[in-house]
Amino acid sequence: STQSRSSAASDVYKRQATWVRLADLGVSAPEAYTLPTALVLVALGIDRLRRDPAAASETTLLPGLVLATVPSLLWVLGDPVSLRALLLGAACLVLVLAAVRVRWSAPLLVGSVVGAILVLRELAPYVAQTPQWLAIGLAGAVLTVIGVTWERRLQDLQVAGSFLGRLR
C-alpha cells in the first residue's frame, strides 16, 4: 500500500517535471501537454473495445477524445483563422467518418460537437456583418419550417437517437 502510493506520487512528480521542462523550453501549445496523455487513453480504450465486445465506446474512448480535442478548441475560440483551426476541423471530420465506419458513438459525439462549435466560431464574423433584417428573416423562415414539419423532425430525432443508441 505504501509502495503503491509512493509509486503514484513519483508518477505525478514525473508528469509535473515534464510540464515544467516544456514550459522552460518555451512550449505554449496545449497539445504538447495533453496530446500524449490523450493518445494513451485512446489506445487503452481501443484495446479494451477490442478485448471486450460488450464495452461501450463512451466510457472507454470519451475521456481521451475530449482531452485530445477540447484544449485545442479553447485556443481556436480565441484565434479562429489559424492552422490549428484547420487541423482541428480535419480531425473532427476524421473522427465523424471513422465513427460512422466502425459504428462507435464516442468519436461521433466528440467530432460532431467540437466540429459544430468550430464551424460556428468560424462563421461568427460573417454573421456579424450580415444585415439585421436578413438574420431575423432567416431565423423566422427556419422557425416556420421547423414548426410546419415538427412531427417529421420529432420522428427524425427519434430515429437519430435510436441510431446513436445502437452504436457501440
Side-chain angles (χ1 to χ4, degrees), residues 60-131:
T60 56
L61 294 177
L62 198 61
L65 293 174
V66 167
L67 186 61
T69 57
V70 171
S72 294
L73 175 66
L74 295 176
W75 276 60
V76 167
L77 292 177
D79 184 21
V81 182
S82 64
L83 178 61
R84 178 180 278 126
L86 176 67
L87 293 174
L88 182 60
C92 289
L93 180 62
V94 167
L95 280 174
V96 169
L97 293 176
V100 169
R101 176 142 173 86
V102 296
R103 301 181 53 93
W104 290 347
S105 60
L108 180 65
L109 289 172
V110 171
S112 59
V113 169
V114 171
I117 293 170
L118 180 62
V119 166
L120 289 175
R121 177 59 180 109
E122 294 291 332
L123 290 177
Y126 302 108
V127 172
Q129 292 179 356
T130 59

Side-chain angles (χ1 to χ4, degrees), residues 23-71:
D24 284 344
L25 292 173
V27 176
S28 62
E31 294 87 2
Y33 298 95
T34 59
L35 201 53
T37 305
L39 291 175
V40 169
L41 285 173
V42 170
L44 289 172
I46 289 173
D47 182 54
R48 177 156 183 237
L49 287 172
R50 186 184 53 78
R51 288 185 291 113
D52 183 10
S57 67
E58 292 93 359
T59 56
T60 56
L61 294 177
L62 198 61
L65 293 174
V66 167
L67 186 61
T69 57
V70 171

